[in-house]
Short mmCIF file of all heavy atoms in Angstrom, two decimals:
data_model
loop_
_atom_site.label_atom_id
_atom_site.label_comp_id
_atom_site.label_asym_id
_atom_site.label_seq_id
_atom_site.Cartn_x
_atom_site.Cartn_y
_atom_site.Cartn_z
N LEU A 401 -43.70 -30.30 -22.49
CA LEU A 401 -45.05 -29.90 -22.88
C LEU A 401 -44.97 -28.74 -23.87
O LEU A 401 -44.29 -27.75 -23.63
CB LEU A 401 -45.86 -29.49 -21.66
CG LEU A 401 -46.05 -30.57 -20.60
CD1 LEU A 401 -46.85 -30.03 -19.43
CD2 LEU A 401 -46.73 -31.79 -21.19
N GLY A 402 -45.69 -28.87 -24.97
CA GLY A 402 -45.64 -27.83 -25.97
C GLY A 402 -46.97 -27.15 -26.23
O GLY A 402 -47.04 -25.96 -26.46
N GLU A 403 -48.04 -27.91 -26.21
CA GLU A 403 -49.32 -27.38 -26.67
C GLU A 403 -50.39 -27.27 -25.59
O GLU A 403 -51.50 -26.88 -25.90
CB GLU A 403 -49.86 -28.28 -27.79
CG GLU A 403 -48.95 -28.38 -29.00
CD GLU A 403 -48.70 -27.03 -29.66
OE1 GLU A 403 -49.57 -26.15 -29.58
OE2 GLU A 403 -47.63 -26.86 -30.25
N ILE A 404 -50.06 -27.59 -24.39
CA ILE A 404 -51.11 -27.64 -23.37
C ILE A 404 -50.77 -26.75 -22.19
O ILE A 404 -49.62 -26.65 -21.78
CB ILE A 404 -51.35 -29.10 -22.94
CG1 ILE A 404 -52.69 -29.23 -22.26
CG2 ILE A 404 -50.25 -29.62 -22.07
CD1 ILE A 404 -53.22 -30.64 -22.27
N ALA A 405 -51.77 -26.09 -21.69
CA ALA A 405 -51.61 -25.25 -20.49
C ALA A 405 -52.00 -26.06 -19.27
O ALA A 405 -52.69 -27.08 -19.36
CB ALA A 405 -52.49 -24.01 -20.60
N ILE A 406 -51.54 -25.60 -18.13
CA ILE A 406 -51.81 -26.28 -16.86
C ILE A 406 -52.78 -25.43 -16.04
O ILE A 406 -52.59 -24.22 -15.90
CB ILE A 406 -50.50 -26.49 -16.06
CG1 ILE A 406 -49.48 -27.29 -16.88
CG2 ILE A 406 -50.78 -27.14 -14.72
CD1 ILE A 406 -49.92 -28.69 -17.27
N ALA A 407 -53.81 -26.05 -15.52
CA ALA A 407 -54.75 -25.39 -14.61
C ALA A 407 -54.83 -26.21 -13.34
O ALA A 407 -54.68 -27.43 -13.37
CB ALA A 407 -56.13 -25.28 -15.26
N ARG A 408 -55.05 -25.53 -12.23
CA ARG A 408 -55.18 -26.20 -10.93
C ARG A 408 -56.43 -25.68 -10.23
O ARG A 408 -56.70 -24.49 -10.26
CB ARG A 408 -53.97 -25.91 -10.04
CG ARG A 408 -52.65 -26.44 -10.55
CD ARG A 408 -51.51 -25.89 -9.69
NE ARG A 408 -50.22 -26.40 -10.07
CZ ARG A 408 -49.45 -25.87 -11.01
NH1 ARG A 408 -49.85 -24.81 -11.66
NH2 ARG A 408 -48.29 -26.40 -11.30
N ASP A 409 -57.14 -26.59 -9.58
CA ASP A 409 -58.31 -26.18 -8.81
C ASP A 409 -58.61 -27.27 -7.79
O ASP A 409 -58.03 -28.35 -7.82
CB ASP A 409 -59.52 -25.94 -9.70
CG ASP A 409 -60.58 -25.06 -9.05
OD1 ASP A 409 -60.34 -24.56 -7.93
OD2 ASP A 409 -61.64 -24.87 -9.65
N ASN A 410 -59.53 -26.96 -6.89
CA ASN A 410 -60.03 -27.92 -5.92
C ASN A 410 -61.52 -28.12 -6.19
O ASN A 410 -62.19 -27.22 -6.69
CB ASN A 410 -59.86 -27.40 -4.49
CG ASN A 410 -58.40 -27.34 -4.10
OD1 ASN A 410 -57.68 -28.31 -4.23
ND2 ASN A 410 -57.97 -26.19 -3.61
N ILE A 411 -62.02 -29.29 -5.83
CA ILE A 411 -63.46 -29.52 -5.96
C ILE A 411 -64.19 -28.66 -4.94
O ILE A 411 -65.16 -27.98 -5.27
CB ILE A 411 -63.79 -31.02 -5.77
CG1 ILE A 411 -63.13 -31.85 -6.88
CG2 ILE A 411 -65.31 -31.23 -5.78
CD1 ILE A 411 -63.25 -33.35 -6.71
N ILE A 412 -63.74 -28.68 -3.70
CA ILE A 412 -64.33 -27.86 -2.64
C ILE A 412 -63.37 -26.70 -2.37
O ILE A 412 -62.19 -26.93 -2.16
CB ILE A 412 -64.58 -28.69 -1.36
CG1 ILE A 412 -65.59 -29.80 -1.64
CG2 ILE A 412 -65.08 -27.79 -0.23
CD1 ILE A 412 -65.87 -30.71 -0.45
N PRO A 413 -63.87 -25.46 -2.38
CA PRO A 413 -62.97 -24.31 -2.28
C PRO A 413 -62.35 -24.05 -0.90
O PRO A 413 -61.47 -23.21 -0.78
CB PRO A 413 -63.86 -23.14 -2.69
CG PRO A 413 -65.24 -23.59 -2.39
CD PRO A 413 -65.25 -25.07 -2.59
N GLY A 414 -62.79 -24.75 0.11
CA GLY A 414 -62.25 -24.51 1.45
C GLY A 414 -62.03 -25.80 2.20
O GLY A 414 -62.35 -26.88 1.70
N PRO A 415 -61.48 -25.71 3.38
CA PRO A 415 -61.21 -26.92 4.16
C PRO A 415 -62.49 -27.56 4.68
O PRO A 415 -63.53 -26.93 4.79
CB PRO A 415 -60.34 -26.42 5.31
CG PRO A 415 -60.66 -24.97 5.44
CD PRO A 415 -61.04 -24.49 4.07
N VAL A 416 -62.39 -28.84 4.99
CA VAL A 416 -63.49 -29.61 5.56
C VAL A 416 -63.05 -30.02 6.96
O VAL A 416 -61.92 -30.44 7.17
CB VAL A 416 -63.79 -30.86 4.70
CG1 VAL A 416 -64.86 -31.73 5.35
CG2 VAL A 416 -64.21 -30.45 3.30
N PHE A 417 -63.94 -29.88 7.93
CA PHE A 417 -63.62 -30.20 9.32
C PHE A 417 -64.52 -31.31 9.82
O PHE A 417 -65.71 -31.36 9.50
CB PHE A 417 -63.78 -28.96 10.21
CG PHE A 417 -62.84 -27.86 9.83
CD1 PHE A 417 -63.25 -26.84 9.00
CD2 PHE A 417 -61.54 -27.85 10.30
CE1 PHE A 417 -62.38 -25.82 8.63
CE2 PHE A 417 -60.66 -26.84 9.94
CZ PHE A 417 -61.08 -25.82 9.10
N GLY A 418 -63.95 -32.18 10.63
CA GLY A 418 -64.71 -33.25 11.26
C GLY A 418 -65.48 -32.73 12.47
O GLY A 418 -65.37 -31.56 12.84
N GLN A 419 -66.23 -33.61 13.11
CA GLN A 419 -67.00 -33.22 14.28
C GLN A 419 -66.11 -32.75 15.42
O GLN A 419 -66.53 -31.96 16.27
CB GLN A 419 -67.86 -34.39 14.76
CG GLN A 419 -68.95 -34.74 13.78
CD GLN A 419 -69.76 -35.95 14.24
OE1 GLN A 419 -69.37 -36.67 15.15
NE2 GLN A 419 -70.88 -36.18 13.59
N ASN A 420 -64.87 -33.20 15.42
CA ASN A 420 -63.93 -32.80 16.47
C ASN A 420 -63.21 -31.49 16.15
O ASN A 420 -62.34 -31.06 16.89
CB ASN A 420 -62.91 -33.91 16.70
CG ASN A 420 -62.16 -34.27 15.43
OD1 ASN A 420 -62.37 -33.67 14.38
ND2 ASN A 420 -61.30 -35.27 15.51
N GLY A 421 -63.56 -30.88 15.01
CA GLY A 421 -62.94 -29.61 14.63
C GLY A 421 -61.61 -29.74 13.92
O GLY A 421 -60.98 -28.75 13.58
N ILE A 422 -61.19 -30.97 13.67
CA ILE A 422 -59.92 -31.23 12.99
C ILE A 422 -60.14 -31.24 11.47
O ILE A 422 -61.09 -31.86 10.98
CB ILE A 422 -59.32 -32.58 13.43
CG1 ILE A 422 -59.14 -32.63 14.95
CG2 ILE A 422 -58.02 -32.88 12.71
CD1 ILE A 422 -58.09 -31.70 15.49
N GLU A 423 -59.24 -30.58 10.75
CA GLU A 423 -59.31 -30.56 9.29
C GLU A 423 -59.12 -31.98 8.76
O GLU A 423 -58.29 -32.73 9.25
CB GLU A 423 -58.22 -29.63 8.75
CG GLU A 423 -58.35 -29.31 7.30
CD GLU A 423 -57.37 -28.23 6.86
OE1 GLU A 423 -56.70 -27.61 7.71
OE2 GLU A 423 -57.28 -28.03 5.65
N ARG A 424 -59.92 -32.35 7.75
CA ARG A 424 -59.86 -33.70 7.19
C ARG A 424 -60.20 -33.64 5.71
O ARG A 424 -60.66 -32.62 5.20
CB ARG A 424 -60.83 -34.63 7.90
CG ARG A 424 -62.27 -34.18 7.73
CD ARG A 424 -63.26 -35.20 8.26
NE ARG A 424 -64.63 -34.75 8.14
CZ ARG A 424 -65.36 -34.76 7.03
NH1 ARG A 424 -64.85 -35.20 5.90
NH2 ARG A 424 -66.60 -34.33 7.03
N ASN A 425 -59.96 -34.75 5.03
CA ASN A 425 -60.34 -34.86 3.63
C ASN A 425 -61.84 -35.15 3.53
O ASN A 425 -62.40 -35.85 4.37
CB ASN A 425 -59.56 -35.98 2.93
CG ASN A 425 -58.14 -35.57 2.65
OD1 ASN A 425 -57.86 -34.40 2.37
ND2 ASN A 425 -57.23 -36.51 2.71
N PRO A 426 -62.48 -34.64 2.50
CA PRO A 426 -63.92 -34.87 2.33
C PRO A 426 -64.21 -36.28 1.82
O PRO A 426 -63.37 -36.92 1.21
CB PRO A 426 -64.32 -33.82 1.29
CG PRO A 426 -63.07 -33.56 0.51
CD PRO A 426 -61.94 -33.74 1.48
N THR A 427 -65.41 -36.72 2.08
CA THR A 427 -65.88 -37.99 1.54
C THR A 427 -66.40 -37.75 0.13
O THR A 427 -66.66 -36.61 -0.27
CB THR A 427 -67.03 -38.58 2.39
OG1 THR A 427 -68.16 -37.70 2.28
CG2 THR A 427 -66.61 -38.74 3.84
N TRP A 428 -66.62 -38.82 -0.61
CA TRP A 428 -67.13 -38.66 -1.98
C TRP A 428 -68.52 -38.01 -1.95
O TRP A 428 -68.85 -37.22 -2.82
CB TRP A 428 -67.15 -39.99 -2.72
CG TRP A 428 -68.20 -40.96 -2.24
CD1 TRP A 428 -68.07 -41.88 -1.25
CD2 TRP A 428 -69.54 -41.06 -2.71
NE1 TRP A 428 -69.24 -42.55 -1.08
CE2 TRP A 428 -70.16 -42.08 -1.96
CE3 TRP A 428 -70.27 -40.41 -3.69
CZ2 TRP A 428 -71.49 -42.45 -2.17
CZ3 TRP A 428 -71.59 -40.78 -3.90
CH2 TRP A 428 -72.19 -41.79 -3.14
N ALA A 429 -69.32 -38.32 -0.95
CA ALA A 429 -70.66 -37.74 -0.86
C ALA A 429 -70.59 -36.23 -0.61
O ALA A 429 -71.43 -35.47 -1.10
CB ALA A 429 -71.46 -38.43 0.24
N GLU A 430 -69.59 -35.78 0.15
CA GLU A 430 -69.41 -34.35 0.36
C GLU A 430 -68.89 -33.65 -0.90
O GLU A 430 -69.18 -32.49 -1.14
CB GLU A 430 -68.43 -34.10 1.51
CG GLU A 430 -68.99 -34.50 2.86
CD GLU A 430 -67.94 -34.51 3.95
OE1 GLU A 430 -66.79 -34.91 3.70
OE2 GLU A 430 -68.31 -34.13 5.09
N LEU A 431 -68.12 -34.38 -1.69
CA LEU A 431 -67.59 -33.82 -2.94
C LEU A 431 -68.68 -33.68 -4.01
O LEU A 431 -68.62 -32.78 -4.85
CB LEU A 431 -66.48 -34.71 -3.50
CG LEU A 431 -65.19 -34.78 -2.71
CD1 LEU A 431 -64.27 -35.84 -3.31
CD2 LEU A 431 -64.50 -33.44 -2.66
N LEU A 432 -69.65 -34.56 -3.98
CA LEU A 432 -70.63 -34.67 -5.05
C LEU A 432 -71.33 -33.35 -5.40
O LEU A 432 -71.32 -32.95 -6.57
CB LEU A 432 -71.64 -35.76 -4.70
CG LEU A 432 -72.40 -36.40 -5.83
CD1 LEU A 432 -71.47 -36.93 -6.92
CD2 LEU A 432 -73.26 -37.53 -5.30
N PRO A 433 -71.94 -32.62 -4.46
CA PRO A 433 -72.62 -31.39 -4.86
C PRO A 433 -71.67 -30.33 -5.42
O PRO A 433 -72.01 -29.60 -6.35
CB PRO A 433 -73.30 -30.89 -3.58
CG PRO A 433 -72.76 -31.70 -2.47
CD PRO A 433 -72.11 -32.91 -3.04
N TRP A 434 -70.46 -30.27 -4.88
CA TRP A 434 -69.48 -29.30 -5.38
C TRP A 434 -69.00 -29.70 -6.77
O TRP A 434 -68.85 -28.84 -7.64
CB TRP A 434 -68.29 -29.20 -4.42
CG TRP A 434 -68.64 -28.56 -3.13
CD1 TRP A 434 -69.02 -29.18 -1.98
CD2 TRP A 434 -68.66 -27.17 -2.84
NE1 TRP A 434 -69.26 -28.26 -0.99
CE2 TRP A 434 -69.05 -27.02 -1.50
CE3 TRP A 434 -68.38 -26.03 -3.60
CZ2 TRP A 434 -69.17 -25.77 -0.90
CZ3 TRP A 434 -68.49 -24.78 -2.99
CH2 TRP A 434 -68.88 -24.68 -1.66
N LEU A 435 -68.75 -30.99 -6.97
CA LEU A 435 -68.29 -31.47 -8.27
C LEU A 435 -69.38 -31.28 -9.32
O LEU A 435 -69.11 -30.89 -10.45
CB LEU A 435 -67.89 -32.94 -8.17
CG LEU A 435 -67.30 -33.58 -9.43
CD1 LEU A 435 -66.07 -32.82 -9.91
CD2 LEU A 435 -66.96 -35.04 -9.18
N ARG A 436 -70.61 -31.52 -8.93
CA ARG A 436 -71.75 -31.37 -9.85
C ARG A 436 -71.81 -29.94 -10.40
O ARG A 436 -72.13 -29.74 -11.57
CB ARG A 436 -73.04 -31.71 -9.10
CG ARG A 436 -74.27 -31.70 -9.98
CD ARG A 436 -75.51 -32.13 -9.20
NE ARG A 436 -75.53 -33.59 -9.05
CZ ARG A 436 -75.54 -34.23 -7.89
NH1 ARG A 436 -75.54 -33.56 -6.75
NH2 ARG A 436 -75.56 -35.54 -7.85
N ASP A 437 -71.48 -28.95 -9.57
CA ASP A 437 -71.56 -27.54 -9.98
C ASP A 437 -70.22 -26.95 -10.41
O ASP A 437 -70.14 -25.74 -10.67
CB ASP A 437 -72.12 -26.71 -8.82
CG ASP A 437 -73.56 -27.06 -8.50
OD1 ASP A 437 -74.28 -27.54 -9.40
OD2 ASP A 437 -73.98 -26.88 -7.34
N HIS A 438 -69.18 -27.75 -10.47
CA HIS A 438 -67.84 -27.24 -10.78
C HIS A 438 -67.78 -26.69 -12.21
O HIS A 438 -68.45 -27.19 -13.10
CB HIS A 438 -66.80 -28.35 -10.61
CG HIS A 438 -65.41 -27.85 -10.48
ND1 HIS A 438 -64.65 -27.54 -11.58
CD2 HIS A 438 -64.65 -27.58 -9.41
CE1 HIS A 438 -63.46 -27.11 -11.18
NE2 HIS A 438 -63.45 -27.13 -9.86
N TRP A 439 -66.96 -25.65 -12.42
CA TRP A 439 -66.82 -25.04 -13.74
C TRP A 439 -66.27 -25.98 -14.80
O TRP A 439 -66.42 -25.73 -16.00
CB TRP A 439 -65.96 -23.78 -13.66
CG TRP A 439 -64.56 -23.98 -13.15
CD1 TRP A 439 -64.11 -23.79 -11.88
CD2 TRP A 439 -63.42 -24.43 -13.90
NE1 TRP A 439 -62.77 -24.10 -11.78
CE2 TRP A 439 -62.32 -24.48 -13.02
CE3 TRP A 439 -63.21 -24.80 -15.23
CZ2 TRP A 439 -61.05 -24.89 -13.41
CZ3 TRP A 439 -61.94 -25.19 -15.62
CH2 TRP A 439 -60.87 -25.23 -14.72
N LEU A 440 -65.66 -27.07 -14.41
CA LEU A 440 -65.05 -27.97 -15.39
C LEU A 440 -66.06 -28.49 -16.40
O LEU A 440 -65.72 -28.76 -17.55
CB LEU A 440 -64.30 -29.13 -14.72
CG LEU A 440 -65.09 -30.23 -14.01
CD1 LEU A 440 -65.52 -31.33 -14.97
CD2 LEU A 440 -64.26 -30.82 -12.90
N TRP A 441 -67.32 -28.61 -16.01
CA TRP A 441 -68.35 -29.12 -16.91
C TRP A 441 -68.71 -28.11 -17.99
O TRP A 441 -69.30 -28.47 -19.01
CB TRP A 441 -69.60 -29.52 -16.14
CG TRP A 441 -69.33 -30.50 -15.06
CD1 TRP A 441 -69.34 -30.26 -13.71
CD2 TRP A 441 -68.97 -31.88 -15.21
NE1 TRP A 441 -69.01 -31.41 -13.02
CE2 TRP A 441 -68.78 -32.41 -13.91
CE3 TRP A 441 -68.78 -32.71 -16.31
CZ2 TRP A 441 -68.42 -33.74 -13.70
CZ3 TRP A 441 -68.42 -34.03 -16.09
CH2 TRP A 441 -68.26 -34.53 -14.81
N ARG A 442 -68.37 -26.83 -17.77
CA ARG A 442 -68.70 -25.78 -18.73
C ARG A 442 -67.48 -25.32 -19.54
O ARG A 442 -67.59 -24.43 -20.36
CB ARG A 442 -69.30 -24.58 -17.99
CG ARG A 442 -70.61 -24.92 -17.27
CD ARG A 442 -71.18 -23.74 -16.50
NE ARG A 442 -70.34 -23.24 -15.42
CZ ARG A 442 -70.24 -23.79 -14.21
NH1 ARG A 442 -70.93 -24.86 -13.92
NH2 ARG A 442 -69.46 -23.26 -13.28
#
């Protein structure tokens, strides 16, 4: 890589927990409001 920088981020800034209190991956519907407001669009 010569001309491009690398950036890393998450759509949701913290963990997501299920009803049982276990950490899990978010659904697309849970991602939607966070993705809508993410800095990547600006």
